[in-house]
Amino acid sequence: QDNSRRRQGLQSSACPQKFLKVAATTTIMPGTNCQKAIQIWSEKNENANPEAATTVKLMCLSPPIEKMDSSLNQLASVTHLSLSTNCIDKMIPLPALKNLEILSLGRNMIKKISGLEEVGATLRELWISYNSIGTLDGLAPCTKLTTLFISNNKIKDWGELVKLQANPELSNVLLFGNPMYEGLTKKQARPKVLEHLPRIATLDGELLTGEDDAEEEGAAEEGA
């Protein structure tokens, strides 16, 4: 009788593990591919034609997009493309997007900026906050870039900002939340940013008017 109870106990303890294993295998789903995402977007927008659309937002999909792929090239007229809040780990070239001005890739799993050579002549804004980017390589082709939102990434070295000098029209930058800001307020970090990027007009959501510099100079004179 004791042996019988023992066997029953082993069986009952094994069942949950077996159930969990089955549950785990049945709940894993492949990511949504870009073609499917575009189809879903079209259906939600009165069967809009992707090739003619100027704004396409493939955001927050469930299951999420895991890979950018060549089907995005059908968006030939798009000026604003959003792929934010997915699980994309790599950027790819998009040679057919000749009109792209705003590319939104925030809240993904991207480790480096790449693939912008084909859209660099038109791209004005890159929104890529909340990723895992550690350097500012890959932006040199974007000669018309005015806005770079790259907060909450993994940029540690202030010297990385030198690379943004290759973007002569850059005026609006979001950098807070990167490791290089550790221990600093936005105001304390500002001089370090301006040392490398003196031409920017807006930093971390605040318009740079020069008033802070004037206040600091005034305080120094009063102290003297």
Side-chain angles (χ1 to χ4, degrees), residues 62-122:
S62 181
I65 298 171
E66 296 177 352
K67 303 286 182 185
M68 295 175 68
D69 62 50
S70 59
S71 64
L72 293 169
N73 283 304
Q74 68 187 278
L75 306 174
S77 300
V78 73
T79 59
H80 182 173
L81 174 61
S82 178
L83 293 156
S84 64
T85 317
N86 283 292
C87 289
I88 296 166
D89 61 353
K90 185 179 179 181
M91 299 169 66
I92 66 168
L94 297 169
L97 274 56
K98 302 295 187 184
N99 302 297
L100 187 64
E101 296 181 3
I102 302 173
L103 177 59
S104 175
L105 287 163
R107 298 183 185 275
N108 277 287
M109 302 169 66
I110 297 166
K111 295 180 177 62
K112 69 176 183 177
I113 298 170
S114 61
L116 295 177
E117 292 81 6
E118 304 284 354
V119 298
T122 59

Side-chain angles (χ1 to χ4, degrees), residues 122-133:
T122 59
L123 192 68
R124 295 185 179 277
E125 301 188 18
L126 178 61
W127 307 350
I128 200 162
S129 295
Y130 293 94
N131 276 282
S132 298
I133 297 165

